[in-house]
Amino acid sequence: MLEIKNVNKVFNEGTVDEKPALQTINLSLKKGDFITVIGSNGAGKSTLMNIISGVLSPDSGSVLLDGRDVTNLPEYKRSRWIGRVFQDPMAGTAPAMTIEENLSLAFSRNKSRTLKLGVTKNRREFFKESLSTLKLGLENRLNAKVGLLSGGERQALSLLMATFTEPSILLLDEHTAALDPSRAQLITEITHKIVSDLNLTTMMVTHNMQQAIDLGNRLIMMDKGQIILDVDEKKKRNLTVDDLLHEFKRIRGELVISDRSLLA
């Protein structure tokens, strides 16, 4: 499904501000995998998302999607296979357009452009049916401007739009972080339902360790541009936040000792 092979990325290479963002990343996702990604700020989580989506190109290594090498494909060409929801509820939608118009754009993302009417009666009914699954009443507000929606409503709409075409992989980049706790919980529940119902291969970045434990069948921890922990479904079932904190401290300690030994 998704294969990341020996990917490296350095920012400001050759300057005093040089920063290794990703260091020899190797990661494989099978169809239906739901991986949660945790790590401190600067660990490389969003950089990894940007490499997968095509926002950034790796300095070395490759990215394969469904067996297709997409390493050198720009973001707009990959978008037909990749859905993404960002942290900012204002991103991913067109605020000056209506809910119906936004949904129509998302629905047509990987289809050939024609001169036919953008929204047919059947398509409008499909939009209403899809929106009703969110249980936010948006199916009755098709002509409302998206810019007038609340943050939670807009993020729910972004999630629906990103999954309309059942992408090969769904990327969730801290998509609940900017919401208040009740709305964040709602979006988490909607995420779980959509991903489960469509069996979507998903990668979700989060700073919420409990959320990372509760969602998905696999968890990876990143630090300083490396994957330092990869927990499978069986071990994840009994995992606690304290376990994750302990593992992080233990692994970080071992890495520090290793680095010092190299300098000795």
Side-chain angles (χ1 to χ4, degrees):
M1 175 52 66
L2 174 69
E3 289 186 77
I4 301 169
K5 298 182 178 180
N6 299 314
V7 162
N8 292 276
K9 183 66 180 179
V10 177
F11 293 127
N12 304 311
E13 188 172 9
T15 73
V16 294
D17 296 319
E18 179 173 309
K19 178 186 176 182
L22 296 176
Q23 303 183 62
T24 318
I25 296 293
N26 287 282
L27 182 65
S28 295
L29 277 71
K30 302 188 299 293
K31 172 66 178 175
D33 271 348
F34 186 168
I35 293 185
T36 53
V37 185
I38 59 173
S40 56
N41 289 331
K45 306 182 300 298
S46 290
T47 302
L48 179 59
M49 288 282 201
N50 287 332
I51 291 287
I52 294 170
S53 64
V55 174
L56 296 173
S57 297
D59 296 330
S60 61
S62 58
V63 178
L64 284 79
L65 191 59
D66 292 332
R68 181 190 302 106
D69 191 335
V70 299
T71 309
N72 297 313
L73 280 184
E75 181 184 15
Y76 76 93
K77 288 190 175 180
R78 296 191 206 186
S79 64
R80 64 185 302 177
W81 307 299
I82 298 174
R84 188 172 184 180
V85 183
F86 299 87
Q87 177 178 342
D88 183 1
M90 302 298 284
T93 56
M97 298 176 70
T98 66
I99 292 175
E100 183 176 80
E101 289 167 339
N102 272 268
L103 291 174
S104 184
L105 285 176
F107 185 83
S108 304
R109 183 170 54 227
N110 63 356
K111 295 178 176 60
S112 299
R113 300 293 189 266
T114 69
L115 296 177
K116 293 181 180 179
L117 184 65
V119 182
T120 62
K121 182 179 179 181
N122 287 340
R123 185 174 296 185
R124 184 171 288 115
E125 288 304 312
F126 171 70
F127 289 166
K128 287 183 177 181
E129 183 181 340
S130 299
L131 286 167
S132 68
T133 64
L134 303 178
K135 301 187 184 304
L136 294 173
L138 296 180
E139 65 274 15
N140 301 315
R141 300 172 61 191
L142 285 178
N143 292 318
K145 299 289 187 183
V146 170
L148 300 177
L149 302 182
S150 69
E153 290 171 337
R154 191 159 180 172
Q155 203 66 314
L157 180 62
S158 294
L159 183 60
L160 185 63
M161 289 169 60
T163 58
F164 246 174
T165 55
E166 297 187 26
S168 294
I169 184 165
L170 174 64
L171 303 178
L172 305 173
D173 198 350
E174 298 187 60
H175 71 307
T176 64
L179 305 176
D180 64 70
S182 63
R183 287 299 186 186
Q185 180 60 34
L186 172 65
I187 297 304
T188 298
E189 292 170 0
I190 291 173
T191 298
H192 176 71
K193 184 178 188 310
I194 289 177
V195 170
S196 297
D197 288 351
L198 298 179
N199 192 34
L200 292 175
T201 307
T202 305
M203 181 180 291
M204 183 183 79
V205 168
T206 179
H207 277 291
N208 186 322
M209 287 190 283
Q210 190 60 57
Q211 184 185 57
I213 292 170
D214 294 341
L215 290 177
N217 66 316
R218 188 173 161 197
L219 180 151
I220 64 173
M221 180 186 291
M222 296 186 68
D223 185 54
K224 296 182 179 179
Q226 298 175 301
I227 295 174
I228 62 173
L229 182 67
D230 191 336
V231 183
D232 63 24
E233 185 171 14
K234 184 177 180 181
K235 292 181 180 178
K236 194 170 182 287
R237 291 195 195 105
N238 300 314
L239 200 62
T240 67
V241 171
D242 286 340
D243 291 335
L244 282 178
L245 290 171
H246 175 76
E247 281 298 294
F248 179 70
K249 291 176 181 177
R250 182 186 66 80
I251 296 170
R252 277 293 297 271
E254 290 179 356
L255 290 173
V256 169
I257 291 171
S258 175
D259 287 344
R260 286 177 178 172
S261 67
L262 290 173
L263 296 173

